[in-house]
Every structure is written in C-alpha cells, then in structure tokens.
Amino acid sequence: MADTDAPREFAFELALCSHLEATTEWVVSRQLGATVDRAGRRIVDVVGVAPGPGFDRRAEITDRSVPIRAIESDVGAGEAVPRNRVLPEMASETRDAIVDTAVDAGFFATERRDGREYVRQTTRYPDEWFGRLVGIENKPDLGDPGALDRQLRTDVSLGLFDAVVLATESHVTRAHLNRIPAAVGVWRFDPETGTREEIRPPASLSPDEPGIELVAERPLRTDVRPVTAGEKARARRRIAERAYGKGWRTYDFPACAHAEATDDGRPYCAQFERVVDPARTCGDDCDAFDPAEPPDVSTGALRDERSTWRRDPPGVRRRQSGLDRYI
C-alpha cells in the first residue's frame, strides 16, 4: 500500500457521515465550498442539511443539484422563454451549460415552436425546502490543529451556517476549548464504535444577518469582505443544492481483488482490514494491489435506503441503468 498508515481523516469523515445519516434526518454531504466571495476558498468537511417544510416538493423534482443560476433566472413554470433569452447577461457557452444541466436534472424542459427552442420550468422551486445548515470541521487529532483556528473563525464571522461544530477523536481538554471560538460546538466521535458525545453545544449563528468573510491573511494584516444577508441566502441555497445532489459517497471503489464495501458503502480493504481512501492509497503503488473488477455497489441505492434523499423521483425521467452507479 502506498501509505502504510490508515487515511485517518478520510476514514473518520466517512464514519461520521454514516453516523449522521443514520441518526438524523439531515441530507449529509462532504467537501463543499462554503464562502460567498469564492466558494473554493473555504472547504467544509461535512455539511448537514435539515429538511424544511418544502423538502418533499424538492425531493420530487430531481435527485441532482439544480443550478442556482437556473433557479434565479426569469424562466418560470407558467410560460416558456426563448432559449437565447435565458440569462442574457451571460456568455452563450456558459448559458447553454446551465440550461443543459437544468434540463438534464429535470428542472427545465425544452420545446420547439416555429423552429425556435423554448425553455420552461417543470415545476416551481420550493424556496423553503431546507431549514438549518450545520457545518462540521473534522480534526481527529487536536494535537495537530493545522489551520483549524482560521477555518473556524472564518465560519463564525461569515455565518453561512446556522451552527458550526468541530468533530474530533481526541480527548478534549479545557485548553482545547479555550482555543476554539466560543460559538463552535464540539463533538467527540469514535469512528470504531460510532458513538458521539457532545462536549459543548454550538451557539446559534445569524445566517439572516450580514457577515464578514475572511478573504486573506498575511503577517500583521487580515483582508475581509462584508457580505450582505442576500448574498448569504444565495450561498446557503447553493450549499444546500450541492449537498442534495452530491451526498457523501463521492469516491470510486478500487479495481482490486481486496476491495470490499461496508454495509453503509464505505471502501474497505480486506488485506489491510480498514477503510481506505482509494484516491490516495490504492493502485499500482500499493504492494498488495491485485487488479480485479471493483465491488458492485450502488451508492445511490444505499443513499436512498438510508437517508431522506430520494433516488429517481417521479419528476425525473428514468436514466439508463448503470449510469448512476456511483452517484
């Protein structure tokens, strides 16, 4: 194996996602951009999306993410719009990509009239389909905090989430708590037993109010950007949509004879008897690698069975069998 140590943070993250999926009503996802100015600047390890009053209506539309620009466009459910007038402020290639993605997801439908293509919504978008958003930063070993303080300060000052939590496997001391922003909750989670202890509850943040985004930090200088409540609302919708479509089983299973899947769909190596990160530890660089067909796992079926997410709802045309094997 390329790395003889278990990919601790990866295994910890997947175990926590599985635990939250089993013990909450949340839509659970991982590795999502969670800023306003540039989504990739801050990647949150795990996001929990609590269902809102319109959740069932949202679940009926599509099991994929709906593009935010499609939701915000002038295309409505009552009247079709010429395709070339959808998002007219955007370059044609970008506009076409958004429209095509929305059509593929089943949120837009197209029709032709007199040789022109028109676009309409298949249904009205339910704005209140999600409630609370919970952001979770994983740090199994608090003895190696890395950029933890900056990451958590960013989350609290921006306030995109209703609550922010730090999840760790370490014993949490008073000194640890004093170094963590007071608004951040702390969980101690054992990935082997799946037990979670709340050391400190998270404070309620203010996603409906303006926030401050940390843009860059330099010696003796921190660049920040004020963020409006409207910008935060749009970012929250983007996060929720991305979480709904992505989920947390975002890996391919290794094409190795030793590769297996746990009951909840995590990649497991029978040779080394542990959950592995296929992208980092499997393949030709592994001494035990034995080429074979990957495990036959439908992660979409597992997610449908174990969570509130709904696979292939009535609002989506059926896809060819096999195309969503690893969705």
Side-chain angles (χ1 to χ4, degrees), residues 6 43-44 65 124 150 158-159 190 197 205 222 231 236 239-240 242 262 281 283 291 297 307-308 312:
I43 303 297
V44 172
S65 300
R124 297 190 185 280
R150 176 179 56 79
L158 180 55
D190 185 335
E197 176 187 6
L205 302 179
T222 299
E231 289 175 315
R236 281 168 59 83
I239 292 169
R242 182 63 174 145
T262 61
T281 59
V297 182
S307 76
T308 53
D312 282 340

Side-chain angles (χ1 to χ4, degrees), residues 7-15 30 140 251 267 275-278 280:
R8 186 178 182 187
E9 292 202 10
F10 182 80
F12 180 91
E13 185 163 294
L14 296 197
R30 50 186 288 269
Y251 37 78
V275 171
V276 294
D277 182 351
R280 294 177 53 193

Side-chain angles (χ1 to χ4, degrees), residues 51-254:
F55 183 84
D56 288 342
R57 287 180 54 210
R58 168 63 185 84
E60 290 174 355
I61 298 173
T62 178
D63 55 11
R64 304 186 187 186
S65 300
V66 178
I68 297 303
R69 296 305 297 266
I71 296 169
E72 297 172 342
S73 72
D74 291 335
V75 178
E79 183 176 353
V81 176
R83 182 179 180 121
N84 62 354
R85 295 184 186 174
V86 178
L87 302 169
E89 74 280 5
M90 305 188 72
S92 59
E93 290 185 2
T94 303
R95 178 183 65 240
D96 286 342
I98 292 171
V99 171
D100 290 343
T101 299
V103 169
D104 194 40
F107 182 64
F108 279 176
T110 59
E111 57 189 66
R112 298 197 72 84
R113 302 178 188 171
D114 300 325
R116 297 182 68 187
E117 188 176 24
Y118 286 74
V119 179
R120 62 175 176 82
Q121 285 186 19
T122 57
T123 186
R124 297 190 185 280
Y125 184 82
D127 289 323
E128 297 184 356
W129 72 264
F130 64 94
R132 286 168 56 82
L133 297 184
V134 180
I136 303 166
E137 183 66 20
N138 296 326
K139 188 58 64 175
D141 183 6
L142 290 179
D144 181 22
L148 181 63
D149 178 66
R150 176 179 56 79
Q151 292 167 334
L152 294 177
R153 284 192 293 111
T154 296
D155 296 338
V156 171
S157 67
L158 180 55
L160 276 184
F161 297 101
D162 295 88
V164 174
V165 173
L166 167 67
T168 183
E169 194 175 353
S170 296
H171 174 69
V172 181
T173 67
R174 178 59 57 184
H176 288 137
L177 292 177
N178 289 339
R179 290 195 294 268
I180 297 167
V184 175
V186 180
W187 293 342
R188 190 179 185 194
F189 177 70
D190 185 335
E192 296 299 324
T193 63
T195 57
R196 172 166 55 100
E197 176 187 6
E198 186 175 67
I199 305 298
R200 183 172 74 189
S204 294
L205 302 179
S206 302
D208 295 331
E209 298 178 2
I212 298 294
E213 183 167 324
L214 275 64
V215 176
E217 281 192 313
R218 305 180 182 87
L220 304 178
R221 175 179 171 180
T222 299
D223 295 337
V224 300
R225 174 183 181 270
V227 176
T228 68
E231 289 175 315
K232 288 171 62 172
R234 186 173 188 270
R236 281 168 59 83
R237 179 185 286 172
R238 185 195 70 230
I239 292 169
E241 274 296 335
R242 182 63 174 145
Y244 193 89
K246 182 179 182 182
W248 61 269
R249 299 173 181 90
T250 57
Y251 37 78
D252 290 332
F253 285 86

